[in-house]
Amino acid sequence: MEELHPEAGAVTVRREVKAIGLVSGGLDSTLAVALLKRQGVLVKAVNFYTGFCITETQRRKGGRADGSVPRNEALRAAADLEVDVEYVDVSGREYLDMLVSPKHGYGANANPCVDCRVFMMRRAREIMEREGADFVFTGEVLGQRPKSQRRDTLRIIERDGGLEGRLLRPLSAKLLPPTIPERDGLVDRERLEAISGRSRQRQMELARELGLTDWPQPAGGCCYLTDENFSRKFFDILDSREAAGRERRLEREDILLLSTGRHFRLSPRAKLVVGRTEVENALLEHHVEGRARLEAMGLAGPVALVEGEATWEERQLAARIVARYGKGKELPEVVVEWREGDLVEQYPVAPEQDEALIESLRR
């Protein structure tokens, strides 16, 4: 990029400015990329997969219940804006341990939003250093989310993420202290935005100004951890393991199972997961090892797994619940097969009809 030197009249070349952008594919992060590209910044997009993104989990499981397959919005946004994108899976041991014991606590459900953002910023800083980039930016908007986008928590995320002075929020930049790239003239602060709050009106106007036409409609987030029902299952599995004298710990396998099927707590020692669709049945088949597998014989219905040590009474209860959700739910008796390692047993049971009991067990 050429510019005229004000004193000598000589033409000098401004060095290339490079930034790492956290891109979900939603409107806010897409706008942040577009704003910086408009200033000539070379953007590399990064999309982090935590294991708890609803649409990406649906993609990995083969689609939604209606058969549709959601698109990866981050890849779509990067293609539309013509920027490189790096897809980073962070759903490993370090991330899972953070989820169990977040320094800054949970939000309304099982969402450790501040700690999650700090985790991502640390990874983004590593990518920034590796790529020789000047700063990191996000589509965060001041005041849009009650826990992670307050003025104080935005500051905590920047500090604990190791990005002090180098974390730019283009959509709210004029409402926040100037960052190093703004102070050094790498980014023109006057061409950034001063958006705050939950209204998307300015974002919609800005999208029209920048010629953006394709983005997902906001739907309250794309994270299972913010969902009340999912959170109940999340804490249930941790609490039950702790009650059984086991370590309060999550495994990667748990992430997928928590978003699959109907969950029933049979006792502190045993849990039942019942598939709801053919896709979920197939997924449960891949996680039989170390668990008991249940299925009604001779009738279409769900595949189910029992994790833990179930008593005889709990096995019978699990069989009745499995029978309830199959084609034999109106029959007086259904034979449910229980397979656990080399053990194979058949339980003739009446499908469970006690609605109050079902609801009391549901997680």
Side-chain angles (χ1 to χ4, degrees):
M1 182 181 299
E2 294 185 349
E3 59 183 15
L4 190 65
H5 193 282
E7 295 179 0
V11 173
T12 59
V13 178
R14 176 187 170 189
R15 74 173 181 83
E16 185 175 64
V17 179
K18 186 173 183 179
I20 304 299
L22 274 64
V23 176
S24 66
L27 178 56
D28 291 339
S29 63
T30 301
L31 287 172
V33 173
L35 282 172
L36 292 180
K37 279 202 68 181
R38 185 169 66 172
Q39 294 199 30
V41 175
L42 178 62
V43 171
K44 176 172 183 175
V46 174
N47 179 247
F48 289 114
Y49 176 67
T50 65
F52 293 93
C53 174
I54 295 172
T55 55
E56 186 59 24
T57 299
Q58 290 171 338
R59 280 170 48 80
R60 292 186 175 210
K61 289 165 63 174
R64 302 184 179 100
D66 63 5
S68 64
V69 179
R71 63 186 182 180
N72 185 306
E73 295 292 352
L75 299 182
R76 188 272 315 157
D80 288 351
L81 294 169
E82 299 182 334
V83 298
D84 291 338
V85 60
E86 180 175 346
Y87 186 77
V88 183
D89 189 332
V90 295
S91 62
R93 182 76 269 146
E94 185 181 358
Y95 187 80
L96 294 177
D97 288 345
M98 178 276 291
L99 289 180
V100 174
S101 302
K103 176 182 176 182
H104 298 285
Y106 297 102
N109 295 296
N111 48 311
C113 295
V114 175
D115 293 88
C116 183
R117 298 299 289 179
V118 168
F119 187 95
M120 292 181 181
M121 295 310 153
R122 289 174 178 167
R123 290 297 184 91
R125 183 196 64 205
E126 294 173 1
I127 296 171
M128 178 187 76
E129 294 171 348
R130 183 190 75 204
E131 296 285 334
D134 297 285
F135 61 94
V136 171
F137 71 93
T138 73
E140 292 168 297
V141 172
L142 179 65
Q144 188 180 90
R145 298 189 185 278
K147 185 170 179 66
S148 63
Q149 293 180 8
R150 302 193 310 263
R151 192 175 296 273
D152 60 330
T153 51
L154 288 177
R155 171 63 181 153
I156 289 169
I157 291 166
E158 177 183 342
R159 181 196 68 203
D160 291 2
L163 285 167
E164 288 191 283
R166 295 199 179 276
L167 179 52
L168 177 65
R169 281 98 172 191
L171 298 185
S172 297
K174 292 181 180 179
L175 301 175
L176 300 170
T179 58
I180 291 172
E182 293 169 275
R183 295 199 303 267
D184 288 353
L186 303 182
V187 174
D188 184 353
R189 181 177 174 86
E190 293 306 309
R191 297 174 67 190
L192 301 178
E193 292 291 316
I195 303 173
S196 67
R198 300 179 65 84
S199 171
R200 299 296 179 103
Q201 183 176 349
R202 175 53 188 156
Q203 285 97 313
M204 298 295 187
E205 294 174 353
L206 187 58
R208 289 191 289 271
E209 292 172 14
L210 295 171
L212 302 177
T213 59
D214 187 14
W215 64 82
Q217 292 302 311
C222 178
C223 182
Y224 279 116
L225 295 169
T226 63
D227 180 78
E228 182 179 356
N229 293 328
F230 185 93
S231 298
R232 190 163 54 245
K233 293 183 284 188
F234 175 90
F235 288 120
D236 171 73
I237 195 170
L238 293 176
D239 293 344
S240 65
R241 287 173 182 174
E242 185 176 39
R246 298 167 59 190
E247 186 177 359
R248 191 177 176 86
R249 179 183 173 100
L250 282 176
E251 303 297 338
R252 291 190 72 164
E253 187 178 43
D254 293 325
I255 300 177
L256 197 57
L257 290 177
L258 282 170
S259 64
T260 301
R262 303 176 180 90
H263 289 231
F264 302 90
R265 175 56 60 186
L266 305 176
S267 72
R269 303 172 306 279
K271 177 182 180 180
L272 170 69
V273 181
V274 181
R276 293 171 295 192
T277 65
E278 290 299 323
V279 170
E280 290 190 341
N281 285 348
L283 189 147
L284 292 177
E285 293 281 15
H286 289 288
H287 294 83
V288 171
E289 186 175 353
R291 299 175 175 89
R293 179 191 183 282
L294 287 76
E295 186 175 21
M297 298 186 64
L299 294 167
V303 170
L305 301 180
V306 170
E307 180 178 295
E309 299 178 6
T311 64
W312 172 258
E313 291 77 12
E314 290 159 3
R315 293 184 182 196
Q316 295 294 302
L317 174 58
R320 295 199 303 272
I321 293 173
V322 170
R324 170 191 176 89
Y325 289 105
K327 292 294 185 181
K329 61 183 178 181
E330 304 296 338
L331 298 177
E333 184 177 272
V334 173
V335 178
V336 175
E337 183 180 76
W338 176 290
R339 286 182 173 269
E340 188 174 7
D342 295 330
L343 175 68
V344 180
E345 295 183 338
Q346 295 175 1
Y347 304 144
V349 295
E352 185 58 60
Q353 303 296 333
D354 189 336
E355 297 288 346
L357 175 61
I358 289 292
E359 288 306 310
S360 70
L361 299 175
R362 192 185 293 274
R363 294 295 184 267

